[in-house]
């Protein structure tokens, strides 16, 4: 009988400690009803390729994704679900430029906070506003050995052209990209209708 009461006491002690342990509150996120459109950002030099995201890095996708986007002629460019958000809930991530040490191109990422303003006027080329302004992009093929998503990584050229002696450049997610496999392009903002 002593063994049974000892086991019972141990079980009650274990249950008490589990019940007394604090329970992490489940984060509640708002529920949204989204209006979706075919992606309006098409690469001019690569027809049929559209601005997209692969783990928060700006890429060109060879399928036209259906997206929820926010953009204007002088403000942030946001894409729903493209990367991290401020509160961790589903929401917009914003396209930002990150100058590189070479200072001739910037990597592009989708971030929780908008740091870059864009002119994204329908019928015109996507243009980074603040100095140095630019609408010149590079679509660079990923190395064949890369397992990362997106066949093309998108970079923004700055006012100074990338020197031709730079044989390689690095993407925001660490791929070393061959300069000879980069295609200069503009990104056209094409009109679309909701799906």
């Amino acid at each position: 009988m002593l063994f049974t009461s000892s086991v019972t006491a141990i079980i009650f002690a274990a249950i008490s400690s589990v019940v007394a342990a604090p329970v992490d509150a489940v984060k509640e996120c708002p529920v949204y009803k989204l209006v979706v459109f075919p992606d309006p950002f098409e690469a001019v030099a690569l027809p049929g390729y559209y601005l997209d995201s692969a783990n928060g890095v700006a890429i060109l996708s060879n399928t036209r994704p259906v997206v929820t986007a926010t953009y204007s002629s002088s403000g942030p460019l946001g894409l729903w679900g493209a990367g991290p958000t401020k509160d961790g809930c589903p929401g917009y991530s914003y396209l930002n430029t990150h100058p590189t040490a070479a200072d001739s191109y910037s990597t592009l990422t989708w971030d929780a906070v908008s740091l870059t303003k864009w002119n994204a006027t329908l019928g015109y080329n996507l243009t980074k506003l603040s100095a140095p302004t630019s609408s010149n992009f590079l679509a660079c093929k990923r190395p064949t050995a890369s397992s990362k998503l997106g066949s093309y990584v998108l970079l923004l050229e700055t006012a100074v052209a990338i020197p031709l002696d730079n044989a390689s450049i690095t993407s925001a997610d660490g791929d070393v990209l061959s300069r000879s496999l980069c295609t200069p392009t503009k990104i056209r903002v094409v009109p679309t209708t909701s799906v």
Side-chain angles (χ1 to χ4, degrees):
M1 196 62 156
L2 180 60
F3 177 74
T4 307
S5 58
S6 300
V7 171
T8 306
I10 291 171
I11 292 172
F12 281 137
I15 291 172
S16 297
S17 67
V18 169
V19 172
V23 177
D24 290 335
V26 175
K27 182 175 179 99
E28 289 192 31
C29 294
V31 177
Y32 296 95
K33 182 175 181 179
L34 301 174
V35 177
V36 295
F37 296 82
D39 190 327
F41 304 103
E42 185 175 21
V44 174
L46 297 164
Y49 280 82
Y50 295 87
L51 179 61
D52 203 351
S53 170
N55 299 318
V57 175
I59 63 163
L60 291 178
S61 174
N62 64 346
T63 57
R64 190 172 193 178
V66 177
V67 299
T68 298
T70 179
Y71 53 93
S72 68
S73 62
S74 177
L77 191 160
L79 196 63
W80 190 272
T85 59
K86 272 192 212 180
D87 59 5
C89 288
Y92 288 106
S93 298
Y94 300 95
L95 186 62
N96 288 313
T97 61
H98 304 280
T100 61
D103 206 29
S104 55
Y105 71 96
S106 294
T107 59
L108 296 166
T109 59
W110 298 95
D111 303 308
V113 177
S114 172
L115 304 172
T116 306
K117 288 190 177 184
W118 299 92
N119 178 352
T121 303
L122 289 175
Y124 293 89
N125 295 326
L126 180 64
T127 304
K128 177 188 168 282
L129 295 177
S130 68
T133 61
S134 179
S135 61
N136 299 318
F137 294 87
L138 285 175
C140 299
K141 282 195 175 191
R142 286 200 188 270
T144 53
S146 177
S147 61
K148 295 175 181 147
L149 298 173
S151 52
Y152 286 96
V153 176
L154 197 62
L155 305 168
L156 180 73
E157 285 188 279
T158 60
V160 179
I162 295 176
L164 294 176
D165 58 347
N166 280 7
S168 63
I169 50 185
T170 305
S171 68
D173 55 6
D175 271 350
V176 176
L177 310 167
S178 171
R179 176 68 175 93
S180 64
L181 298 176
C182 294
T183 303
T185 190
K186 304 281 188 183
I187 302 295
R188 191 82 164 166
V189 186
V190 295
T192 63
T193 56
S194 64
V195 181

